[in-house]
C-alpha cells in the first residue's frame, strides 16, 4: 500500500525491510517467476519446464499436420513436384516465423512472463505516455513490477517516444492496432477448435469411406460442446495430462514421418533446397501463389505460442521447440510429402492415410486428444487476452472466475465461453469442410502476426534500445514474409476468409465503442471534479448532519473529489461521519503485489474525516468477490491513521514524498503489527487550495457532536465505532448521451451501442460484491 498525505517533517526512526519487497502471488507461480528473472536453471529443472511447456504452448502448432496439405491442394495435386515445392515452403515458413521470429525474438518481449498483444501494449505504456485513460500517478512507477528503461534525450528511442506522445490520434491509432490484434486472437479462439476437432474427427471417415460427412460434423460438434461445457472446471485437475499427450503426439507424428520417408520416397529431403520454392511458383503461377494460404496453416498456433507463455522461462520454450517440436514437425510434413509422392489422389486425408494400418486407431485417439489440448490452449489464451482488455478499459465488464488456487493465470469467463461455443459450432456446422475453415483461420493468423510485427518494432526501439538499422532489418524481413502470406489470403476472402473479418469487426466495434465511452466518462469526471476550496468552505460538518457510519464513495478518479459527491450532498441533508473515496484502477503491469496494492491519503484537515483509497491492480489480477477487499481497505486505513499520528503536521499545498526510507519504515512498522504489509509514500497530490492542519488543537466531530482530543487512539476508536454503525457503498451511475447536434454515427455509438453494452454488462455493484442493503446509487447524466 502507498499512503498519500500532506507534508511531513519527521524523517526519524527508519527501519530497513528489503526482504519483503516482492511477495509472490502464490508459491508455484512466484517460484517460477523468480527463476525466470534470475535465469539460473539447473539442467534437470530446465528439462522439466521445457516438458511442461509442451502441453501449454505447443498444442495448436503441433496439430497443424492434420490439415495443411488438404488446404494447400484443395483441387488435388497435378504434378508430384508440387509436393516438393510445398514441403520446401513449409520448411522455410517454420524456420523463419516460429523458430527465428517468435521463439528467439518475440518471446523475449514478454511482460514478466505474460505474452500477447496487450502485454506488448502494456510494455509500451510504461515507456511512453500513450495510455488513453490518463489516470496514472507518479507513485505507480515505484511499484516493484513497474519496470521501465531510460534512454538518452537525443537518442532515436527518445525521438520515437516524443513522436508517439505528440498527438492523440497516434495514441488512438496504436490502441486500434492492438484491439484489431486482440479481435483476431478471439477469432483464432473460435476457428482453432473448429478446424482442429473437425480434422481429427475426419479420421473416422477414412476407415469408413461410405460414412456421410454429416456424421463427422456431428461428432465434432459433440466434442466441441463437451469441451466448452467443461471450461468452468478449469484445467488445474487435468492440466498434468496435457504435456504427456502433446509429447506423445509429437513423437508419433515424427516417428510416422521417418517411416514414410523410408518406405515411400526419401528424395523429398531435397525440399531443404530453396530452389524448389522458385520452381513451384514458376510452375503454378497464380494457383501456386494462392496455395500459400494453405502453407501458412503450418505456422498457425505461433501467436498462441506467444500468448500462452504463462510463467515458463524463454529458455525452456526455446529448448522444447528446437529439440522436440521443430524436428518432429519437419519429419511429419516430410513423411506426408513422401506418401503423397506415391499417392497424389489421397491429399484430402493425407495425414490419416499415411498412418501405418497397425497403429491407425491409437494414433486417431491421440490426434483427437491433441486437438482438444490445442483447442483448450487457444480458448485459455482468448480468456486471458479478454481479461487484459477488460483491465485496460477496452472490453465491457464481464464475470471473471478464477479456476485455480495455485496458478493466477487460469481463469474462466462464462459469457465469452458460451459466445465462443455458439460461434465455433456455427462455423463447424456451417462450412462442414476443413478447406473453408482453413481459409478463415489463415486470415486471422496472418493479421495477428502483422500486428505483432508492428508492435515489436516499437518494443525494439523503446524497450530494448536496438539500433534503428537492426530494427529496420527485422521489420522489413518480417513484413515481406507476412505480407506475402497476406496477399495470398486475400484471394480466398470469398472462400471463407471473410469469417474472421466479420467476427473481428463485430468485436472491434464493441471494444472501441466501450473504450470511447469509458474515456469520455473519465474526462467528464476529471473536468467536473469538486474544488478543495469548496469542500473546505463547507466546514468540518460539510454543511450537513454527519450521521454515524462510513460512506465508501466509488469513483474512477485517482485524484480530486468526484462530482457525484457534490451531487450527493446537495440533494441529501446528511452524510456519514467518515467518507472514503475508493478508486479501483488497473495499471499497465501484469500484477500489483498485495503489499503495494493500496494507496491511502487524507483529504482536508483531520477533523473532516475524509480519506482516499486507491486500489491498484495489474491486468492479470482479479478483484475477488469476497469480503477481503473491504477488510483490507479498512486495515490499511487504520494503519494510515497510526502512521499519521507520528506526523508533526500536514499541508495540502506543498507536495512532499518519502518513497524511499519512509517506505522501509512503514513496512517494518507493519511487520510488527497484525495487519497486511504496506508501503508509505507521503504526498499531497490532490489538493487545490492550501489547508494547514496540526495535531495539536485539532478536534474530532463525532456522531453526537461532542469534541474530543485528537489522538491516535481516539481516532481509531472513532473509526471503529463508525464501522460498527454501518458501511454504505455509494456508487455513481453516470449515464452518457450524445448531444442533439451530434453526427449520426456518434449518436449510434453512444445512444445505442454503448447504452446497450452498459445495460447487459455486469454492474459495478456486482463487480465490487456490494450487498444490496448497503448500496446507494447516485445517478447523473452528461452529454458528449
Amino acid at each position: 500500500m502507498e499512503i498519500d498525505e500532506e507534508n511531513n517533517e519527521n524523517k526519524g526512526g527508519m527501519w530497513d525491510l528489503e526482504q519483503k519487497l516482492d511477495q509472490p502471488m502464490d508459491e508455484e507461480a512466484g517460484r517460477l517467476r523468480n527463476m525466470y528473472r534470475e535465469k539460473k536453471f539447473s539442467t534437470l529443472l530446465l528439462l522439466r519446464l521445457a516438458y511442461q511447456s509442451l502441453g501449454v504452448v505447443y498444442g495448436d502448432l503441433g496439430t497443424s499436420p492434420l490439415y495443411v496439405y488438404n488446404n494447400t491442394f484443395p483441387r488435388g495435386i497435378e504434378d508430384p513436384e508440387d509436393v516438393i515445392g510445398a514441403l520446401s515452403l513449409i520448411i522455410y515458413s517454420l524456420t523463419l516465423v516460429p523458430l527465428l521470429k517468435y521463439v528467439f525474438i518475440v518471446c523475449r518481449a514478454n511482460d514478466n512472463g505474460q505474452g500477447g498483444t496487450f502485454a506488448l501494449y502494456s510494455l509500451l505504456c510504461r515507456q511512453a505516455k500513450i495510455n488513453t485513460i490518463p489516470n496514472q500517478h507518479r507513485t505507480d512507477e515505484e511499484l516493484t513490477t513497474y519496470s521501465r528503461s531510460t534512454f538518452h534525450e537525443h537518442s532515436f528511442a527518445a525521438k520515437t517516444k516524443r513522436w508517439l506522445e505528440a498527438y492523440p490520434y497516434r495514441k488512438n491509432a496504436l490502441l486500434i492496432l492492438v484491439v484489431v490484434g486482440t479481435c483476431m486472437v478471439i477469432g483464432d479462439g473460435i476457428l482453432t477448435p473448429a478446424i482442429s476437432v473437425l480434422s481429427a474427427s475426419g479420421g473416422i471417415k477414412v476407415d469408413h469411406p461410405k460414412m456421410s460427412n454429416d456424421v463427422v460434423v456431428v461428432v465434432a460438434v459433440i466434442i466441441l460442446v463437451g469441451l466448452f461445457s467443461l471450461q468452468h472446471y478449469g484445467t488445474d485437475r487435468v492440466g498434468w495430462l496435457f504435456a504427456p499427450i502433446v509429447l506423445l503426439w509429437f513423437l508419433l507424428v515424427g516417428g510416422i514421418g521417418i517411416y514414410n520417408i523410408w518406405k515411400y520416397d526419401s528424395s523429398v529431403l531435397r525440399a531443404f533446397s530453396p530452389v524448389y520454392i522458385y520452381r513451384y511458383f514458376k510452375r503454378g503461377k497464380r494457383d501456386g501463389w494462392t496455395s500459400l494460404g494453405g502453407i501458412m496453416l503450418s505456422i498457425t498456433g505461433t501467436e498462441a505460442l506467444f500468448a500462452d507463455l504463462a510463467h515458463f522461462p524463454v529458455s525452456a520454450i526455446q529448448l522444447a521447440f528446437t529439440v522436440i517440436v521443430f524436428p518432429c514437425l519437419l519429419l511429419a510434413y516430410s513423411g506426408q510429402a513422401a506418401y503423397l509422392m506415391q499417392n497424389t489422389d489421397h491429399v484430402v486425408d493425407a495425414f490419416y492415410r499415411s498412418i501405418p494400418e497397425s497403429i491407425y486407431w491409437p494414433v486417431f485417439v491421440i490426434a483427437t486428444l491433441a486437438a482438444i489440448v490445442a483447442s483448450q490452449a487457444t480458448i485459455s489464451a482468448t480468456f486471458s487476452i479478454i481479461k487484459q482488455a477488460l483491465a485496460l478499459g477496452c472490453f465491457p465488464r464481464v464475470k471473471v472466475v478464477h479456476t485455480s488456487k495455485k496458478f493466477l493465470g487460469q481463469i474462466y469467463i462464462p459469457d465469452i465461453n458460451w459466445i465462443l461455443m455458439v460461434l465455433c459450432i456455427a462455423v463447424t456446422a456451417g462450412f462442414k469442410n476443413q478447406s473453408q475453415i482453413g481459409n478463415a483461420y489463415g486470415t486471422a493468423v496472418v493479421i495477428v502476426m502483422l500486428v505483432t510485427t508492428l508492435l515489436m518494432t516499437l518494443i525494439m526501439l523503446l524497450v530494448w534500445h536496438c539500433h534503428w538499422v537492426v530494427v529496420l532489418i527485422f521489420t522489413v524481413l518480417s513484413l515481406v514474409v507476412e505480407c506475402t502470406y497476406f496477399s495470398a489470403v486475400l484471394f480466398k476472402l470469398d472462400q471463407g476468409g471473410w469469417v474472421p473479418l466479420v467476427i473481428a469487426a463485430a468485436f472491434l466495434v464493441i471494444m472501441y465503442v466501450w473504450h470511447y465511452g469509458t474515456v469520455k466518462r473519465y474526462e467528464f469526471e476529471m473536468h467536473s471534479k469538486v474544488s478543495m476550496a469548496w469542500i473546505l468552505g463547507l466546514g468540518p460538518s460539510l454543511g450537513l448532519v454527519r450521521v454515524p457510519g462510513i460512506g465508501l464513495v466509488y469513483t474512477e478518479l485517482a485524484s480530486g473529489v468526484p462530482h457525484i459527491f457534490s451531487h450527493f450532498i446537495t440533494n441529501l441533508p446528511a452524510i456519514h461521519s467518515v467518507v472514503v473515496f475508493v478508486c479501483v484502477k488497473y495499471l499497465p503491469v501484469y500484477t500489483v503485489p498485495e503489499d503495494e496494492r493500496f494507496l491511502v491519503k487524507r483529504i482536508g484537515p483531520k477533523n473532516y474525516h475524509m480519506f482516499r483509497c486507491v486500489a491498484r491492480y495489474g491486468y492479470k489480477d482479479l478483484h475477488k468477490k469476497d469480503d477481503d477487499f473491504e477488510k483490507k481497505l479498512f486495515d490499511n486505513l487504520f494503519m494510515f491513521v497510526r502512521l499519521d499520528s507520528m506526523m508533526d503536521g500536514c499541508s495540502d499545498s506543498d507536495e512532499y514524498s518519502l518513497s524511499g526510507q519512509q517506505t522501509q519504515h512503514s513496512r517494518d512498522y507493519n511487520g510488527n503489527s497484525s495487519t497486511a504489509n504496506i508501503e508509505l509514500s507521503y504526498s499531497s497530490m490532490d489538493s487545490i487550495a492550501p489547508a494547514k492542519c496540526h495535531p495539536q488543537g485539532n478536534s474530532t466531530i463525532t456522531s453526537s457532536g461532542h469534541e474530543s482530543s485528537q489522538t491516535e487512539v481516539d481516532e481509531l476508536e472513532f473509526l471503529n465505532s463508525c464501522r460498527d454503525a454501518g458501511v454504505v457503498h455509494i456508487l455513481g451511475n453516470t449515464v452518457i448521451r450524445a448531444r442533439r447536434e451530434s453526427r449520426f454515427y456518434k449518436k449510434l455509438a453512444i445512444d445505442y451501442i454503448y447504452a446497450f453494452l452498459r445495460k447487459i454488462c455486469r454492474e459495478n455493484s456486482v463487480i465490487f460484491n456490494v450487498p444490496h442493503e448497503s448500496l446507494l446509487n447516485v445517478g447523473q447524466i452528461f452529454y458528449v
Side-chain angles (χ1 to χ4, degrees):
M1 178 182 99
E2 296 211 12
I3 301 174
D4 260 354
E5 249 282 6
E6 286 73 15
N7 197 5
N8 169 36
E9 300 297 333
N10 180 15
K11 300 182 184 179
M14 304 301 170
W15 294 276
D16 185 19
L17 190 63
E18 290 289 339
Q19 64 267 28
K20 290 188 179 179
L21 187 63
D22 191 7
Q23 296 267 344
M25 297 169 294
D26 55 67
E27 185 178 351
E28 179 70 14
R31 182 168 59 82
L32 291 176
R33 188 170 69 250
N34 290 334
M35 290 188 299
Y36 169 79
R37 289 173 180 172
E38 295 170 7
K39 296 184 180 178
K40 296 177 181 177
F41 305 100
S42 67
T43 305
L44 288 176
L45 180 59
L46 189 61
L47 289 173
R48 183 169 68 87
L49 293 173
Y51 164 72
Q52 290 174 348
S53 71
L54 288 173
V56 177
V57 175
Y58 291 114
D60 192 4
L61 188 64
T63 53
S64 296
L66 286 168
Y67 44 79
V68 168
Y69 282 111
N70 179 26
N71 285 274
T72 303
F73 302 107
R75 300 172 187 172
I77 300 172
E78 296 178 3
D79 186 344
E81 285 297 307
D82 288 345
V83 177
I84 303 296
L87 176 60
S88 188
L89 279 167
I90 290 171
I91 290 170
Y92 284 98
S93 297
L94 284 170
T95 303
L96 291 174
V97 181
L99 180 65
L100 296 181
K101 180 187 173 184
Y102 275 85
V103 172
F104 284 100
I105 298 177
V106 175
C107 283
R108 291 180 55 235
N110 61 83
D111 185 12
N112 287 87
Q114 310 303 322
T117 51
F118 265 105
L120 295 179
Y121 182 65
S122 296
L123 280 173
L124 293 173
C125 285
R126 299 207 294 269
Q127 303 301 323
K129 296 177 181 177
I130 56 175
N131 200 335
T132 51
I133 302 179
N135 64 347
Q136 292 189 40
H137 191 276
R138 59 175 179 74
T139 52
D140 297 334
E141 299 176 11
E142 298 167 9
L143 291 169
T144 54
T145 52
Y146 198 102
S147 58
R148 60 182 301 180
S149 55
T150 57
F151 32 76
H152 193 271
E153 186 180 353
H154 301 292
S155 64
F156 196 78
K159 293 177 183 177
T160 306
K161 177 177 179 290
R162 287 193 293 271
W163 182 84
L164 275 176
E165 295 173 347
Y167 298 101
Y169 78 87
R170 291 173 184 168
K171 301 177 185 179
N172 286 325
L174 183 61
L175 178 67
I176 290 174
L177 182 70
V178 173
V179 171
V180 167
T182 303
C183 293
M184 288 299 170
V185 171
I186 295 172
D188 197 6
I190 295 167
L191 296 169
T192 298
I195 193 170
S196 298
V197 174
L198 185 61
S199 300
S201 303
I204 304 174
K205 192 177 178 182
V206 173
D207 197 60
H208 299 80
K210 295 182 180 180
M211 182 181 290
S212 169
N213 191 56
D214 292 339
V215 176
V216 176
V217 173
V218 170
V219 171
V221 168
I222 291 172
I223 294 174
L224 289 171
V225 170
L227 175 64
F228 282 101
S229 299
L230 295 175
Q231 287 299 312
H232 68 281
Y233 291 109
T235 58
D236 203 23
R237 295 180 182 176
V238 295
W240 62 274
L241 283 171
F242 290 176
I245 288 172
V246 176
L247 177 62
L248 183 58
W249 166 254
F250 278 120
L251 294 177
L252 275 174
V253 297
I256 292 170
I258 294 173
Y259 171 80
N260 287 332
I261 293 170
W262 169 77
K263 182 178 180 180
Y264 294 103
D265 192 349
S266 60
S267 67
V268 295
L269 297 179
R270 55 197 163 105
F272 281 88
S273 170
V275 71
Y276 289 95
I277 296 176
Y278 167 74
R279 293 178 183 175
Y280 177 74
F281 286 131
K282 184 180 179 181
R283 191 168 49 249
K285 297 181 180 178
R286 187 176 185 270
D287 288 341
W289 190 264
T290 56
S291 69
L292 283 174
I295 299 291
M296 205 207 65
L297 295 180
S298 64
I299 56 175
T300 55
T302 306
E303 192 62 37
L305 177 157
F306 179 49
D308 279 334
L309 279 178
H311 293 282
F312 294 108
V314 174
S315 54
I317 300 289
Q318 294 170 344
L319 180 65
F321 189 84
T322 52
V323 174
I324 299 292
V325 179
F326 187 61
C328 287
L329 287 177
L330 292 184
L331 289 170
Y333 288 116
S334 300
Q336 286 187 51
Y339 176 81
L340 289 173
M341 291 290 286
Q342 305 293 328
N343 304 274
T344 55
D345 56 331
H346 289 173
V347 68
V348 175
D349 301 301
F351 174 78
Y352 280 115
R353 289 187 179 275
S354 65
I355 299 172
E357 190 175 346
S358 58
I359 61 169
Y360 181 83
W361 287 109
V363 173
F364 170 77
V365 172
I366 296 298
T368 305
L369 292 175
I372 292 172
V373 171
S375 304
Q376 177 60 56
T378 312
I379 294 167
S380 298
T382 306
F383 289 159
S384 178
I385 204 162
I386 287 178
K387 171 67 176 68
Q388 294 177 21
L390 176 66
L392 296 175
C394 295
F395 204 86
R397 294 184 299 270
V398 290
K399 182 180 181 180
V400 179
V401 179
H402 200 178
T403 60
S404 172
K405 295 181 180 179
K406 185 183 291 185
F407 298 103
L408 181 70
Q410 293 185 5
I411 58 174
Y412 164 66
I413 305 178
D415 303 331
I416 300 301
N417 182 65
W418 302 123
I419 290 173
L420 290 180
M421 186 187 78
V422 170
L423 292 175
C424 188
I425 291 173
V427 167
T428 305
F431 285 137
K432 296 183 181 180
N433 68 77
Q434 303 170 22
S435 182
Q436 287 186 316
I437 299 176
N439 295 337
Y441 196 15
T443 306
V445 171
V446 73
I447 292 176
V448 176
M449 287 181 177
L450 286 168
V451 170
T452 301
T453 297
L454 297 176
L455 291 176
M456 277 300 301
T457 302
L458 295 174
I459 292 290
M460 294 176 79
L461 287 170
L462 296 178
V463 182
W464 293 352
H465 305 157
C466 296
H467 195 278
W468 67 269
V469 175
V470 177
V471 178
L472 184 64
I473 292 171
F474 169 82
T475 306
V476 170
L477 288 178
S478 297
L479 289 179
V480 166
V481 174
E482 288 156 12
C483 287
T484 301
Y485 283 126
F486 186 62
S487 64
V489 163
L490 290 177
F491 285 106
K492 298 190 176 184
L493 284 180
D494 60 336
Q495 302 170 36
W498 56 269
V499 172
L501 297 181
V502 171
I503 294 171
F507 277 98
L508 178 63
V509 169
I510 291 171
M511 294 174 72
Y512 190 76
V513 168
W514 181 265
H515 182 74
Y516 177 79
T518 302
V519 170
K520 289 299 178 184
R521 200 170 68 247
Y522 183 81
E523 288 176 352
F524 168 77
E525 295 278 1
M526 281 292 294
H527 295 150
S528 61
K529 63 183 180 181
V530 180
S531 164
M532 195 66 197
W534 183 75
I535 295 291
L536 294 171
L538 295 177
S541 66
L542 300 178
L544 304 167
V545 177
R546 301 294 291 266
V547 297
I550 296 179
L552 300 180
V553 182
Y554 289 85
T555 173
E556 294 181 8
L557 293 180
S559 62
V561 178
H563 181 263
I564 61 164
F565 182 68
S566 64
H567 187 62
F568 178 81
I569 64 177
T570 52
N571 286 277
L572 290 176
I575 191 67
H576 300 89
S577 300
V578 176
V579 176
V580 182
F581 296 100
V582 181
C583 170
V584 177
K585 72 173 183 177
Y586 287 85
L587 301 177
V589 295
Y590 73 101
T591 185
V592 176
E594 284 284 347
D595 58 336
E596 301 177 61
R597 175 144 296 160
F598 291 91
L599 179 106
V600 178
K601 73 166 288 178
R602 188 188 296 277
I603 298 178
K606 290 187 177 182
N607 56 351
Y608 277 58
H609 298 300
M610 294 172 66
F611 303 89
R612 173 180 319 288
C613 179
V614 179
R616 303 174 295 181
Y617 291 85
Y619 55 78
K620 295 292 283 186
D621 292 331
L622 286 174
H623 184 82
K624 295 181 180 178
K625 280 188 62 179
D626 50 29
D627 297 330
D628 245 12
F629 178 77
E630 187 176 310
K631 179 181 180 298
K632 289 176 181 176
L633 188 151
F634 284 120
D635 285 346
N636 288 291
L637 179 62
F638 293 158
M639 177 55 66
F640 168 77
V641 171
R642 293 191 189 99
L643 291 171
D644 188 42
S645 67
M646 301 166 59
M647 308 302 177
D648 293 329
C650 61
S651 170
D652 264 351
S653 58
D654 301 321
E655 182 182 342
Y656 189 75
S657 177
L658 296 174
S659 58
Q661 293 177 317
Q662 189 65 39
T663 296
Q664 298 165 5
H665 161 214
S666 65
R667 284 179 172 169
D668 191 79
Y669 181 92
N670 191 44
N672 296 326
S673 68
S674 59
T675 59
N677 290 329
I678 66 165
E679 178 180 332
L680 177 62
S681 178
Y682 195 76
S683 63
S684 66
M685 292 299 297
D686 269 11
S687 309
I688 299 174
K692 304 286 184 179
C693 65
H694 302 277
Q696 298 84 3
N698 269 338
S699 60
T700 301
I701 307 297
T702 63
S703 57
S704 59
H706 297 294
E707 296 186 0
S708 61
S709 175
Q710 181 68 36
T711 64
E712 173 194 347
V713 176
D714 286 341
E715 187 165 19
L716 286 174
E717 287 180 354
F718 175 70
L719 289 174
N720 271 315
S721 65
C722 289
R723 185 181 181 183
D724 293 339
V727 178
V728 175
H729 301 260
I730 303 170
L731 270 70
N733 187 16
T734 305
V735 178
I736 64 172
R737 294 270 197 319
R739 290 192 177 95
R740 187 171 297 177
E741 65 273 13
S742 298
R743 295 179 184 271
F744 167 75
Y745 62 84
K746 190 173 184 179
K747 289 183 178 179
L748 177 65
I750 296 297
D751 292 345
Y752 294 95
I753 300 176
Y754 184 75
F756 175 73
L757 293 174
R758 286 265 296 179
K759 187 176 181 180
I760 65 172
C761 75
R762 296 172 71 80
E763 297 181 358
N764 276 328
S765 58
V766 178
I767 299 293
F768 298 137
N769 194 33
V770 177
H772 285 290
E773 62 273 13
S774 304
L775 174 64
L776 182 61
N777 269 311
V778 181
Q780 55 183 347
I781 300 175
F782 75 95
Y783 294 87
V784 294

